[in-house]
Structure formats: C-alpha cells, structure tokens
Amino acid sequence: MSLQIIRPGLLTSIQDTGRYGYQKIGVLVSGAMDVYSMRIANILVGNDENEGTLEITLLGPTIEFTADTLIAVTGGDFQPIIDGMPVPYMRPVAVKAGAIMKFSSCHTGCRAYIAVAGGFDITAVMGSKSTYMRAGIGGFKGRALQKGDSLNTGSPNPFGQQMLFHLLSRGAQSFAEARWYIGKTHVSAESLHKPIRVTAGLHYKYFDQQSKYNFFSSDYIITNNADRMGYRLKGDSLKTEKPLEIISEAIGLGTIQVPPQGMPIILMADHQSVAGYPVIAQAIAVDAARIAQMKPNDHIHFKLISNEESERLFIEMEKYMENIKIAVNAKLQN
C-alpha cells in the first residue's frame, strides 16, 4: 500500500515523537511540533503512539490512496475533502483505493497530522522516523515531501484491520468515518487565545523588574521569522539588570531565550542542543503543543505558574491520553 503525493503543500514531512538521547553529540530531537495531536492520530488508527505521521503546515497537500487505508486526521483545521465531501477530524476514517484527499489552507491552528494504520514503511534513524531537514536525516529521504513521492505504508495491526473492515462494510463510495470521535482538543479558537503558561527560566532572577512586568502584562506577536526551529516574537523589549556572561547551556522545547536586542525567542522542535542567551521562561510541556498551532501575526500572552503546577498539568494530560487509548480500544470491542 502507498500514498501518492500529488501536491506536497507548503511543508509536509514525516514526524514522530522525536530522536532522543543524542543531544550530547549535537543531534537534535526534532519530532512533531504538536506532539499531542500526533499521538492522538496514531491512537485512533491503532498504531503505537510514537509512530511516524505526516505533519502538514499552513497549506495542506493533495494525496492519492492506492489501496484501502485507515487514517485519522488531527490538529489544525485544514478542511480536508474527498470527492467534495468533508473528511471529519479526531476519528478513524476508512479511505477506499483511488480516493484523492485534498487539504486547503489552515482555518484554525497551524499544523495538522495524518496517521495511517501500520505507519510508514521507512527506516528509522537513531530510533526515530522524524525528519530533520537541515541535516537531511530521517523521514522520507531526509526532506519535506515533494510532488510525485510515493510513501509505502506498513501492515496494520489487528485493531487497524478490524476497524478498516468495519467501516468499509457500510458500502461507502470513497470513505467512511466512525460515528464516534474524540471531542476535547487543545486546537480551537478559544484554546489558542488562552495564555501560554510558563515557569521561571534559568536566568529569570537576572532580568530587571520592568522586563518581568512587561513579559507577563503585555502581548507579544509572532513574527514571520517563525519555523520549526523557533518563533521570534515582537513586543516590549526585555533586558537583564546587567550584562550576563553565560556559558552555553542545555535547552529544550519551549525554552524562551532573550538575545541582546531584547526580543524573546521561543525554541521549538528543531531547536539547537545548547544556547547562550539568557532564558527568561520555559513554556510548560502541555502548552508547547498550543504554541505549535500558532502562526505569524498571532498574539501570545504569558502566565507564570509554579513548577509543581506544571507537573500537575503534565500528569493530567498524560492521564487524558491514557483514557483516550482505553476508550478507543473499547469502541472496537463494541
């Protein structure tokens, strides 16, 4: 089975949860920008939640399915259609051989994820199928997808096989979707306007009081200089009480550093392994996925919370993900 790329969209690549354990030698984690949407898509088709998916950004692709395929689409709303009919999100969808799926530009959010039952039949590099395009490793030939690419898929597990058979037994012409779906999502107009919660960064105490006040009391705007490596923001300038001489230190997804000109940068999935700018804050793991769904000219407002609250929210989200897995497996039994 395979997927044929008729149009690649603006930026479509294969991403999983990332390439861990190699930052010490300068190899980045990479992986999905919105890891929760990616994991949910995999759960909905019976994959391991770490399996590679298609991550699409801002403008979606056109894809032909060469065989009957079980898929799930999650994340930002790109209003996909097959034969003029809208394809629903957050549920399993059985697509018949020969069907062509078209995505438009994003209406809500910034990135969507497409999982296929069985995953993509590509070689993992350092334990991950994620594409790191700057280094040309992982994914499909180490690059974003292009017109004419053919992506082979793996064999679905029993869950995927049974769900595909169940949905296609209804006799749909091009596709058939499950009647149930995952309702709660962090990708909505309301959710994306909520403050991004952060904990104090490594160098928070060194910033002057006015900078701390400005950072939490005013909005910042995502500039056009925003990609998988990081988002440069525009707003009130930030500065430390006195110049700091900082030895480069380890950083992670959601680290917010402030270069000399005073405009903060949020580091994203393809961030470097170390950095030498002062770190004012760290976006919590739960909200990093919401940042990934924001695009240039969107406004960001930050809210300071404790490390304990951050941990509580992370555990709460992981329990929610576990409940999704239990509920999805129960649906197949019914």
Side-chain angles (χ1 to χ4, degrees):
M1 296 187 292
S2 67
L3 278 62
Q4 297 292 131
I5 305 301
I6 298 174
R7 293 189 181 89
L10 182 65
L11 178 64
T12 304
S13 64
I14 294 177
Q15 302 292 343
D16 57 20
T17 49
R19 188 169 287 108
Y20 286 91
Y22 299 96
Q23 284 196 88
K24 61 187 177 184
I25 57 172
V27 179
L28 311 187
V29 174
S30 297
M33 291 278 279
D34 176 357
V35 72
Y36 291 116
S37 289
M38 187 227 73
R39 289 169 61 189
I40 291 172
N42 274 321
I43 292 169
L44 288 169
V45 297
N47 290 344
D48 184 284
E49 59 188 275
N50 299 310
E51 179 58 59
T53 62
L54 293 185
E55 178 182 86
I56 70 176
T57 305
L58 289 175
L59 180 65
T62 299
I63 301 171
E64 180 180 1
F65 295 84
T66 64
D68 296 345
T69 307
L70 183 70
I71 69 168
V73 185
T74 61
D77 181 12
F78 286 72
Q79 300 190 345
I81 59 171
I82 294 177
D83 290 345
M85 298 295 293
V87 178
Y89 273 54
M90 301 292 283
R91 70 187 78 192
V93 177
V95 182
K96 299 196 72 174
I100 295 177
M101 188 175 188
K102 299 179 180 179
F103 290 79
S104 67
S105 58
C106 57
H107 292 258
T108 303
C110 179
R111 292 174 172 85
Y113 294 83
I114 310 166
V116 299
F120 293 103
D121 186 15
I122 60 174
T123 302
V125 177
M126 300 181 186
S128 172
K129 296 180 181 179
S130 284
T131 313
Y132 177 41
M133 286 163 274
R134 284 187 171 92
I137 63 173
F140 185 81
K141 299 182 179 180
R143 58 168 171 78
L145 299 184
Q146 299 175 3
K147 179 180 179 180
D149 286 344
S150 179
L151 301 177
N152 293 325
T153 60
S155 299
N157 63 15
F159 175 98
Q161 294 173 2
Q162 292 176 51
M163 184 62 71
L164 180 65
F165 176 81
H166 170 70
L167 294 177
L168 290 182
S169 66
R170 299 178 187 170
Q173 288 189 348
S174 297
F175 72 93
E177 74 271 15
R179 295 188 176 95
W180 53 269
Y181 61 93
I182 305 300
K184 181 181 176 183
T185 175
H186 57 281
V187 188
S188 65
E190 179 184 3
S191 175
L192 295 178
H193 283 94
K194 291 181 178 179
I196 297 298
R197 293 162 292 190
V198 302
T199 56
L202 289 172
H203 311 109
Y204 177 76
K205 63 183 179 181
Y206 297 113
F207 284 84
D208 63 33
Q209 291 302 315
Q210 187 63 48
S211 293
K212 293 175 183 177
Y213 175 81
N214 290 343
F215 186 71
F216 293 111
S217 65
S218 59
D219 284 0
Y220 283 84
I221 300 172
I222 300 173
T223 68
N224 289 328
N225 195 351
D227 58 16
R228 284 183 48 85
M229 186 174 184
Y231 288 9
R232 287 185 177 269
L233 307 182
K234 181 175 65 175
D236 289 330
S237 181
L238 308 174
K239 64 180 182 178
T240 54
E241 291 180 336
K242 59 182 180 180
L244 293 182
E245 293 292 335
I246 299 173
I247 297 174
S248 292
E249 297 173 309
I251 41 97
L253 175 65
T255 295
I256 304 173
Q257 57 179 1
V258 182
Q261 77 272 21
M263 293 297 112
I265 302 170
I266 307 175
L267 300 181
M268 301 302 290
D270 284 350
H271 63 80
Q272 66 273 32
S273 56
V274 295
Y277 295 138
V279 174
I280 190 170
Q282 173 69 45
I284 68 171
V286 171
D287 282 2
R290 287 202 291 128
I291 298 172
Q293 292 294 347
M294 305 176 88
K295 51 187 177 291
N297 296 319
D298 282 351
H299 289 235
I300 292 184
H301 191 88
F302 297 105
K303 178 182 179 181
L304 183 65
I305 65 171
S306 66
N307 290 331
E308 291 76 16
E309 177 68 1
S310 173
E311 291 174 355
R312 185 191 68 78
L313 292 168
F314 176 78
I315 293 170
E316 183 180 279
M317 176 60 87
E318 289 304 312
K319 287 180 178 178
Y320 173 65
M321 297 295 293
E322 188 62 30
N323 286 337
I324 289 177
K325 285 192 283 187
I326 294 170
V328 169
N329 285 318
K331 286 295 182 182
L332 188 63
Q333 303 303 320
N334 295 334

